[in-house]
Amino acid sequence: MTTPHERGGDAGSAAAQSSGAPADRGAPAEFPSADRLAADRLAALRRRTTAVLAANQVLGGLGVATGIALSAVLAQEVSGTEALAGLASTATVVGTALLSVPLAALMSARGRRPGLVLGYLLAALGGGIAVVASAVGSFPLLLGGLAAFGAASSANLQSRFAAADLAEPDRRARAISTVVWATTAGAVVGPNIAAPAGRSVAGLGIPVTAGPFLWASALFLVCAVLIAVLLRPDPLLTARALASAAGVAVAKEERMAPGGGRSPWGAAGRTVRAGSRAIRRSPGARLALVTIAVCHTAMVSIMSMTPVALSHHGAGIELIGLVISGHIAGMYALSPVMGWLADRFGRLTVIGLGMGLLSLAALLAGTAGAGHGRTAAGLLLLGLGWSAGMVSGSALLTDSVPQEDRAAAQGLSDLTMNTSAAVGSVVAGVVVAHAGYGWLNAAGAALVLPLAAVAVLRRPRAAR
């Protein structure tokens, strides 16, 4: 069930725990040397790291979900046209995509903690810009704020890989899914507090639909403090120290010349090249990359335009919030089940399951019309399909590349999936404006069905 790279990683960790080898001399002093990190301490460190990441995901998920619940409606109000409503989601996804590589480069150079902190600080700034833009009625400024707001999604997504840094290979999907699951509480509550968050700023001259972004910014500041203070030792740097102590090579891209890796912006190009090389070498990594990109694009495209479609059929803000809450519950609540299934029955089995659920979701939502209950059921399945594809695809990607290339490959994966979703959400707005919501769902089903067939056909001979 494991790849050669996984077995190497396992051997490295085990040797580091028992051999008494010295710690990597280039590693920061914040994490323990390999000879002192016995098996019981490593298990405790895994639990502590997961707990910190999970707590952070609750707050981060709350902030993201509170903001995005009414972003399309806000964009429609500020721009004055429905055709541009989809650009709200597009701007957020573009920001997530553009920031994923420099944040990954920063993590490669200095660990998970600095990258996550920077991501949440940028998102807090973006939320503030969105509030100002809505107050002055500037659509370009609003898009800029939403792009920076997308850094929170990039940080949240990278947290799932941080959970896998120290995980055992046969529990890797469950480690990823645990952090994904932790987003449930905040993500489900978020859309439902969007309306009261908006009303809370009514006396400040801020549009009601912009109020959630003010609340989200405050939450992201708390996330930044939580990660900066509690995510110690850094999981990625600790994993590398253990691997180095066991004699596992460190990637050349990570042994940068003095000053070469100090700026995440200057190291971004090296990160893309390293990730691209690692993914090209592995058929499993290529399939994982496509899986993550396709399931995320289909989900974002359909979800982003569902509030507009519901409003056409008389749904109010509260009902829209409930539907989106159900969708987000589907995304996160059962992710531990998806992780267990991926570890137990294989990554490709769960990829096929995810694509099937996404297709069924598109069928239900696309034919719902004025049936709000049917739309809600479709959005719930849309979230479940995303969860299956994201958890299994992320685990397959991590399985398929060597430890020293994982941060780069993971950053490239997030860049690819968010760029694809950004294009999809642009197209979604145009399709809904000119053809209708039903045709958008038909396009989503056409996107995922071929991947479901590939997963089924490749399953007997593919490594998990």
Side-chain angles (χ1 to χ4, degrees):
M1 292 180 60
T2 59
T3 67
H5 294 313
E6 286 176 323
R7 289 192 291 271
D10 276 352
S13 296
Q17 295 163 26
S18 61
S19 67
D24 181 7
R25 292 184 179 180
E30 67 173 41
F31 53 83
S33 60
D35 61 324
R36 291 189 292 114
L37 193 59
D40 58 339
R41 290 197 61 198
L42 181 57
L45 178 57
R46 287 180 179 131
R47 291 192 297 270
R48 183 174 184 274
T49 298
T50 300
V52 171
L53 291 170
N56 185 76
Q57 286 294 93
V58 173
L59 297 175
L62 179 60
V64 171
T66 301
I68 68 172
L70 298 178
S71 60
V73 179
L74 176 60
Q76 182 176 338
E77 289 180 358
V78 175
S79 67
T81 174
E82 180 182 291
L84 297 179
L87 289 181
S89 176
T90 301
T92 303
V93 176
V94 166
T96 303
L98 292 179
L99 291 167
S100 61
V101 172
L103 290 179
L106 179 59
M107 293 179 196
S108 291
R110 299 189 178 182
R112 298 289 184 190
R113 188 174 66 252
L116 294 177
V117 169
L118 178 60
Y120 289 120
L121 291 178
L122 289 173
L125 176 62
I129 292 173
V131 172
V132 172
S134 64
V136 301
S138 174
F139 189 62
L141 185 61
L142 174 63
L143 294 181
L146 291 175
F149 189 84
S153 293
S154 182
N156 285 350
L157 289 169
Q158 284 291 322
S159 292
R160 77 192 192 277
F161 291 125
D165 285 335
L166 295 172
E168 298 130 312
D170 61 353
R171 296 185 63 85
R172 190 168 285 144
R174 276 169 280 187
I176 292 171
S177 67
T178 298
V179 173
V180 173
W181 170 82
T183 313
T184 305
V188 171
V189 172
N192 291 294
I193 68 171
R199 290 193 293 267
S200 71
V201 300
L204 303 177
I206 299 174
V208 170
T209 49
F213 287 96
L214 191 61
W215 284 37
S217 293
L219 289 169
F220 294 148
L221 291 175
V222 174
C223 288
V225 173
L226 179 66
I227 291 295
V229 173
L230 298 181
L231 193 63
R232 297 172 183 270
D234 189 287
L236 180 59
L237 299 183
T238 302
R240 286 181 182 166
L242 293 173
S244 179
V248 178
V250 178
K252 292 181 180 178
E253 288 78 9
E254 293 166 1
R255 292 198 303 262
M256 298 176 183
R262 301 197 177 182
S263 168
W265 317 104
R270 281 188 290 271
T271 298
V272 171
R273 289 193 296 271
S276 179
R277 282 196 300 269
I279 290 173
R280 284 200 308 269
R281 292 176 186 139
S282 169
R286 294 197 297 270
L287 178 59
L289 183 70
V290 173
T291 296
I292 293 169
V294 165
C295 78
H296 194 61
T297 300
M299 185 277 291
V300 169
S301 299
I302 294 173
M303 181 273 292
S304 65
M305 296 310 297
T306 297
V308 175
L310 286 169
S311 66
H312 282 169
H313 294 288
I317 290 178
E318 285 76 11
L319 178 57
I320 292 173
L322 287 173
V323 171
I324 298 300
S325 290
H327 165 68
I328 295 174
M331 290 175 64
Y332 301 117
L334 293 183
S335 58
V337 176
M338 302 303 179
W340 179 83
L341 290 173
D343 282 337
R344 176 65 179 83
F345 298 105
R347 316 311 193 204
L348 295 183
T349 298
V350 181
I351 288 173
L353 171 64
M355 299 307 107
L357 289 170
L358 288 171
S359 301
L360 181 57
L363 174 64
L364 286 176
T367 59
H372 299 326
R374 189 165 181 169
T375 301
L379 266 289
L380 174 63
L381 290 177
L382 187 73
L384 290 172
W386 178 90
S387 179
M390 185 62 62
V391 169
S392 55
S394 298
L396 179 60
L397 178 66
T398 305
D399 293 344
S400 301
V401 296
Q403 194 278 337
E404 63 269 18
D405 291 326
R406 284 175 187 165
Q410 291 158 356
L412 181 61
S413 171
D414 283 353
L415 170 65
T416 302
M417 80 174 196
N418 286 296
T419 301
S420 301
V423 173
S425 59
V426 169
V427 174
V430 175
V431 169
V432 170
H434 294 283
Y437 182 67
W439 281 104
L440 172 63
N441 282 271
L447 182 66
V448 302
L449 281 173
L451 184 57
V454 170
V456 171
L457 291 174
R458 291 192 56 183
R459 181 181 175 276
R461 62 177 184 275
R464 293 193 290 185

